[in-house]
Amino acid sequence: MDFDEPCGRSESATIEHLIDATLGGVRTQKHRRLAHAICNHTRNEFRMQAEREFQRWIAARQGASKP
């Protein structure tokens, strides 16, 4: 991790929220850690993709159960 790397570059240091506050996480120090910007972004994208897939799965099941 490069602390001198400009913000927005893949090797720059960012703070990763282990449980995102928008998903019910708490904003305390023990729920944060340092991460490379690219790692933080990739994990966040993976979580969001999984959430979208889950929502589509629920919608498909609800649509199939309607007569």
Side-chain angles (χ1 to χ4, degrees):
M1 187 163 319
D2 189 350
F3 293 98
D4 294 325
E5 192 74 28
C7 181
R9 308 272 309 267
S10 63
E11 293 295 314
S12 63
T14 60
I15 296 174
E16 180 178 13
H17 296 87
L18 300 178
I19 302 174
D20 195 338
T22 60
L23 300 174
V26 183
R27 293 179 188 242
T28 62
Q29 187 62 32
K30 68 180 183 177
H31 291 105
R32 297 182 214 161
R33 66 178 171 197
L34 282 175
H36 292 108
I38 192 70
C39 298
N40 194 355
H41 177 75
T42 302
R43 279 191 285 267
N44 188 46
E45 278 298 311
F46 180 74
R47 282 187 211 119
M48 296 306 291
Q49 181 181 359
E51 179 64 25
R52 287 189 295 268
E53 287 293 323
F54 182 63
Q55 293 301 326
R56 280 194 285 268
W57 182 82
I58 290 173
R61 298 307 178 273
Q62 290 175 339
S65 67
K66 292 182 182 177

